[in-house]
Amino acid sequence: MTQTPPHGPQDRILILDFGSQVTQLIARRLRESGVYCEVWPFNNAAAERIVAFAPKGIILSGGPASVTEGASPRAPDAIFGMGLPILGICYGQQTMAAQLGGTVEGGHAREFGRATVDITGDCAITQGVWAPGAREDVWMSHGDRITVLPPGFRVVASSEGAPFALIANDARHYYGTMFHPEVVHTPHGAALLRNFTHLVCGCTGDWTMAGFRAEAIARIRAQVGSGRVICGLSGGVDSSVAAVLLHEAIGDQLTCIYVDHGLMRANESTQVVATFRDRFNIRLVHRDASDMFLGELAGVTDPEAKRKIIGRLFIEVFEEEQTKIGGADFLAQGTLYPDVIESVSATGGPSVTIKSHHNVGGLPEGMRMQLVEPLRDLFKDEVRALGRELGMPEEIVGRHPFPGPGLAIRIPGEVTRERADILRKADTIYLEEIRNAGLYDQIWQAFAVLLPVRTVGVMGDGRTYDHACALRAVTSTDGMTADVYPFEVAFLTRVAGRIVNEVRGINRVTYDVTSKPPGTIEWE
Ligand code: XMP
């Protein structure tokens, strides 16, 4: 893992990951309440590293293993000697209980999904949120349960399947939940977590974008010195915010390279140049490489082959352009925190899954540049907040994600300039209607897909035989899962009418109603 540069003075919480699918949501909830936190694999958290990070408290995540199995993961014993508040969630609660002298047993009825807990007591975590005697909804996902509490603990809430749904050791400031407070299905979960970070750990909620901006600028300057930095700008939110932040930090030591592969959306290139060169005064190389990309894509229909060609050409063009400007010492990328977090495998190792991501498709051999990744601590919505803090226009900060291979993966079959032009027109109409209806910000991503299918239609008195086009719109929080956006039929028919009337080459429009999974968001 690339070493994260040292952080500023804010309060911070350490989350130790035992491999739950929802560990990242704990970090999301904490950040939303102004608390800086990091997620580390439980088995990569040596005591001295934790002490250097200086957290005000530790959260142990859930995980798929069973504490009752001998070789299952354990929290580092050292954390119980640090005098820090600890919150264990699900598996985290169980391992904490087992490590502190309690008993955990398997073989009980599994509880999965919505459950109701009876609040039988109170503690710092429930203050002002859950009152004794109340019944509250939570989200459970467990098979094992604690049967004997460790010394010093008492029960605060219980459910039928989980007698120790919420436990507390007030003297040591240790808390444990059988349920998952980090998911939205636990309606007061965020407030419970906030009580842990603010009331128990004493965090002040000092993680703000203004603070991050100043700190990130200082870090970039310290890393880059007087070196030269290049940044691949795609016009997407992440690389755009990274570019403006870098420019604020190092001015003309930064050159952005925008490669137009001929598969961008309508007016995108003009908008990128106008925004970055004219408005932000950023040195920008704009390379129109559309002939080269479309030339190599001719005759190629396999989705993976298309992606590979585009990735390879992108690097070639990028390298050519950076050589032309005399090379650089650093390559800046808009890598985000979800790409950086190492998720542990179900068994906790030795095979640790590391998600890696390079916005420019990996570092080419021989490009001996160091990486600058100023957004690697941020989630997508935090990047948007930073963009607003930097005074970036809403058209860029709030725009839907757009894939690196561009329209190529929205044209199943062969990609040609003519097909890309047809698709751009349909896409523009669709997004224009979405904006006019005030729906743009409710949708994660909306786009048109040009199908390689021709269908028969009738226009005026004549027969048509043209392409069909599919419209897609989904809601999502991170692109990993997605739900179909439920447009009114009247809206869809209006868009379809406009596309068929205004775009030559399309005579039929369909709406894609597949969620992810089992579909993916893009068609290829
Ligand atoms: P899928 O289609 O896998 O997409 O459900 C999930 C999200 O990722 C985007 N996407 C990409 N973004 N390069 C990117 O920068 C790519 O090659 C790429 N492929 C898919 C997609 O638009 C959606 O937001």
Side-chain angles (χ1 to χ4, degrees), residues 424-441:
R424 258 189 285 271
K425 286 182 191 145
D427 196 65
T428 303
I429 292 171
Y430 182 35
L431 286 170
E432 200 175 287
E433 288 293 333
I434 287 176
R435 284 204 172 88
N436 290 346
L439 302 175
Y440 189 83
D441 293 337

Side-chain angles (χ1 to χ4, degrees), residues 307 357 359 401-405 409-410 444-445 447 478-480 516 519-524:
R307 280 176 174 274
H357 174 96
N359 289 357
F402 186 64
I409 57 172
R410 296 177 180 174
W444 165 266
Q445 229 172 339
F447 54 87
D478 52 14
M480 302 298 287
K516 172 183 179 174
T520 54
I521 295 176
E522 304 290 346
W523 273 44
E524 291 195 331

Side-chain angles (χ1 to χ4, degrees), residues 25-44:
L25 294 180
I26 307 173
R28 289 294 320 113
R29 296 290 97 81
L30 264 52
R31 298 271 188 105
E32 278 159 16
S33 65
V35 175
Y36 183 79
C37 57
E38 291 190 7
V39 179
W40 297 2
F42 76 93
N43 54 0
N44 187 15

Side-chain angles (χ1 to χ4, degrees), residues 18-357:
F18 289 95
S20 159
Q21 296 294 316
V22 289
T23 300
Q24 282 200 28
L25 294 180
I26 307 173
R28 289 294 320 113
R29 296 290 97 81
L30 264 52
R31 298 271 188 105
E32 278 159 16
S33 65
V35 175
Y36 183 79
C37 57
E38 291 190 7
V39 179
W40 297 2
F42 76 93
N43 54 0
N44 187 15
E48 54 280 15
R49 208 175 148 224
I50 298 177
V51 170
F53 182 62
K56 296 196 100 171
I58 295 177
I59 296 181
L60 308 176
S61 87
S66 169
V67 171
T68 59
E69 285 160 14
S72 57
R74 291 288 177 270
D77 281 319
I79 66 169
F80 299 110
M82 292 181 175
L84 292 170
I86 298 176
L87 170 65
I89 296 174
C90 199
Y91 184 86
Q93 183 206 36
Q94 293 170 9
T95 192
M96 175 166 74
Q99 289 178 255
L100 296 176
T103 307
V104 177
E105 283 178 14
H108 292 276
R110 290 167 60 87
E111 242 184 336
F112 186 81
R114 219 173 281 277
T116 308
V117 291
D118 290 305
I119 316 305
T120 53
D122 59 6
C123 67
I125 302 283
T126 54
Q127 220 175 89
V129 184
W130 284 350
R135 304 199 81 204
E136 300 285 351
D137 286 340
V138 297
W139 195 75
M140 298 267 193
S141 173
H142 66 96
D144 300 344
R145 61 154 93 148
I146 299 170
T147 49
V148 180
L149 283 179
F153 279 81
R154 66 194 172 86
V155 184
V156 179
S158 53
S159 76
E160 223 166 274
F164 302 127
L166 172 55
I167 58 172
N169 178 332
D170 310 276
R172 296 187 76 181
H173 306 293
Y174 290 172
Y175 302 88
T177 64
M178 233 10 267
F179 57 88
H180 286 268
E182 67 275 32
V183 304
V184 291
H185 312 289
T186 299
H188 297 127
L192 300 174
L193 286 169
R194 188 187 165 90
N195 274 350
F196 176 71
T197 55
H198 286 62
L199 290 183
V200 179
C201 302
C203 294
T204 53
D206 56 2
W207 164 251
T208 64
M209 271 310 139
F212 177 85
R213 173 186 187 173
E215 190 195 317
I217 285 171
R219 266 193 276 164
I220 293 167
R221 287 184 181 147
Q223 186 188 0
V224 168
S226 58
R228 286 191 353 161
V229 181
I230 52 166
C231 174
L233 189 62
S234 68
V237 182
D238 307 340
S239 65
S240 298
V241 173
V244 173
L245 181 67
L246 281 155
H247 186 249
E248 188 164 301
I250 56 168
D252 282 350
Q253 285 167 257
L254 171 74
T255 303
C256 289
I257 300 178
Y258 172 71
V259 180
D260 178 358
H261 47 26
L263 296 157
M264 307 303 279
R265 288 165 292 193
N267 301 323
E268 196 143 28
S269 301
T270 323
Q271 192 194 35
V272 167
V273 174
T275 306
F276 292 94
R277 197 184 275 163
D278 305 340
R279 175 166 175 175
F280 285 103
N281 288 316
I282 293 177
R283 285 189 177 182
L284 175 70
V285 175
H286 171 201
R287 167 81 180 268
D288 180 352
S290 54
D291 286 342
M292 181 177 178
F293 279 82
L294 292 168
E296 293 230 13
L297 285 169
V300 180
T301 56
D302 177 71
E304 278 311 297
K306 286 185 196 173
R307 280 176 174 274
K308 291 213 171 84
I309 289 170
I310 294 168
R312 173 174 58 77
L313 291 180
F314 190 89
I315 288 169
E316 275 176 35
V317 174
F318 195 76
E319 250 184 305
E320 274 172 32
E321 293 302 326
Q322 74 108 11
T323 311
K324 277 190 213 160
I325 60 164
D329 312 290
F330 297 90
L331 173 68
Q333 294 194 141
T335 313
L336 303 191
Y337 196 46
D339 308 316
V340 173
I341 295 179
E342 294 176 46
S343 305
V344 295
S345 64
T347 54
S351 62
V352 173
T353 319
I354 300 175
K355 287 191 256 173
S356 63
H357 174 96

